[in-house]
Amino acid sequence: MPRARIVATGAYVPEKILSNRDLEKMVETTDEWITDRTGIKERHIASSKEACSDLAYNASKEALKTAGLKGKDLDLLIVATVTADMPLPATACILQDRLGAHNAAAFDLNAACSGFLFALATAEAYITTGMYKRVLVAGAEVLSRATDWEDRSTCVLFGDGAGAAILEPAEGEEGIISIKLYSDGSKGDLLEVPGGGSRVPCSAESVKEGLHFIKMKGNETFKFAVKTLEGLVTGMLEENGLRSSDLALLIPHQANLRIIKATAERIGLPLEKVLVNIHKYGNTSAASIPIAMDEAVRGGKIKNGDYVLLEAFGGGLTWASALLKW
Ligand code: UT7
């Protein structure tokens, strides 16, 4: 079975920037607190005209251009998101239409901040079994629409953006070596948007109670993340006979600089080998890994034959890692 490999990437963030200083005027917080506790300095916020599919479209167009492909060349399109344009139709179907990807099946996938890796694993499975040849995977979020701008414990964390990757069967040894996905639904209440689904449908009351906003038990989530990510990354390396020194780059989900640093330290990886861009974008959930990956590729931080490790952690709870030979 041929491996699946990423042949091109793309990314897009909205133009508007919201800095920590701007947030100081909105809630009781300081640039110092946000920087020390999270590493975030600013984040991008979608305009009122931009929805999830618009961000995904811009990132996907860039990936297609880089690959020298058109929408009609795609067989499958997966959008990982928790902030879809609307409940129905799927954002992936809206994207399919805009890209002119008439030959592609399209669906959304929700695994929160781990969404891009869950989608990557899905794309890989379709490619390695031979069902589809060319798959576009996008992680796209407009978290600003699910943010309670009066809740300082969450509103300083999130940002909007999108990243995309195109996968094809590999010709040689390059590509996805392994992907591991994990979930623990018993801890779902650590990070949730309680309203807007069939449990608590949208009503005047649900809006009044703020049930359509992200609620997070930040400290518990933080501890679970630090504990879990070390084992996740070391397990992936060990199973593939590698050491952290074999990695050219670790691309982590950008949730908190302290989580990223703790993971790197625990596995003995110097920070120069870790892609960090949380200061510019905040936590963009499913978009964070593909945005970071695109930055690494365009910045020349990854070259052919390099081992690259991706890891993510998020609501669900879900967590995942992927080992790639570039
Ligand atoms: O994306 C995937 C999943 N998400 C994550 O992995 C996020 C994980 N969690 C975190 O990153 C961190 O827990 C946070 C950044 C959210 C919070 O940092 P923390 O060190 O866990 O702080 P805390 O929640 O324990 O709060 C410490 C103090 C509290 O005050 P008291 O009770 O000690 O007086 C908070 O009220 O900081 C206060 N606080 C703030 N102060 C200024 C909370 N938010 C703010 C704020 N500005 N924005």
Side-chain angles (χ1 to χ4, degrees), residues 29 33 37-38 113 152 218-219 253 255-256 258-259 283 313:
T29 192
W33 190 95
R37 297 287 176 129
T38 70
C113 303
R152 69 172 184 174
N219 205 263
H253 166 50
N256 187 312
R258 288 186 291 144
I259 297 177
N283 180 348
F313 178 89

Side-chain angles (χ1 to χ4, degrees), residues 155-317:
C155 77
V156 302
L157 303 174
F158 303 111
D160 301 336
I166 296 171
L167 289 97
E168 289 178 4
E171 277 156 21
E173 283 300 295
E174 77 280 16
I176 299 169
I177 296 171
S178 175
I179 303 196
K180 299 268 180 179
L181 311 178
Y182 304 89
S183 305
D184 181 357
S186 73
K187 294 187 174 61
D189 66 333
L190 290 187
L191 185 42
E192 61 180 4
V193 178
S198 57
R199 178 74 58 198
V200 184
C202 182
S203 64
E205 206 182 359
S206 69
V207 171
K208 201 168 131 211
E209 287 174 14
L211 299 180
H212 302 276
F213 293 133
I214 298 166
K215 318 273 178 204
M216 182 167 72
K217 293 179 180 144
N219 205 263
E220 280 175 67
T221 311
F222 183 96
K223 285 179 191 152
F224 193 87
V226 172
K227 204 170 67 192
T228 306
L229 290 174
E230 180 190 1
L232 180 73
V233 172
T234 48
M236 179 59 95
L237 290 172
E238 273 167 27
E239 276 174 37
N240 291 284
L242 296 176
R243 285 172 303 187
S244 60
S245 54
D246 295 317
L247 290 178
L249 196 65
L250 173 70
I251 304 182
H253 166 50
Q254 314 280 315
N256 187 312
L257 184 58
R258 288 186 291 144
I259 297 177
I260 295 171
K261 279 185 174 167
T263 307
E265 221 166 79
R266 284 169 181 222
I267 66 164
L269 194 68
L271 257 192
E272 305 85 74
K273 284 191 167 187
V274 184
L275 198 294
V276 177
N277 64 10
I278 189 169
H279 51 289
K280 294 187 283 185
Y281 306 122
N283 180 348
T284 57
S285 189
S288 92
I289 288 187
I291 290 174
M293 192 162 62
D294 185 64
E295 185 172 319
V297 172
R298 287 178 201 276
K301 291 193 174 160
I302 312 176
K303 55 182 190 321
N304 288 349
D306 278 350
Y307 285 112
V308 179
L309 199 110
L310 318 176
E311 50 93 337
F313 178 89
L317 295 177

Side-chain angles (χ1 to χ4, degrees), residues 96-203:
Q96 180 228 26
D97 184 44
R98 282 198 66 191
L99 289 173
H102 314 298
N103 303 313
F107 62 88
D108 288 357
L109 184 153
N110 178 344
C113 303
S114 314
F116 182 77
L117 294 187
F118 274 63
L120 199 67
T122 309
E124 190 225 13
Y126 280 120
I127 288 174
T128 54
T129 55
M131 188 161 166
Y132 294 118
K133 274 213 153 54
R134 199 170 280 138
V135 183
L136 185 142
V137 174
E141 302 283 11
V142 189
L143 292 169
S144 60
R145 301 272 155 72
T147 297
D148 180 352
W149 292 103
E150 291 178 2
D151 174 10
R152 69 172 184 174
S153 71
T154 53
C155 77
V156 302
L157 303 174
F158 303 111
D160 301 336
I166 296 171
L167 289 97
E168 289 178 4
E171 277 156 21
E173 283 300 295
E174 77 280 16
I176 299 169
I177 296 171
S178 175
I179 303 196
K180 299 268 180 179
L181 311 178
Y182 304 89
S183 305
D184 181 357
S186 73
K187 294 187 174 61
D189 66 333
L190 290 187
L191 185 42
E192 61 180 4
V193 178
S198 57
R199 178 74 58 198
V200 184
C202 182
S203 64

Side-chain angles (χ1 to χ4, degrees), residues 9-22:
T9 60
Y12 171 79
V13 288
E15 217 175 283
K16 184 183 167 191
I17 292 175
L18 185 72
S19 69
N20 291 351
R21 294 279 178 222
D22 296 329

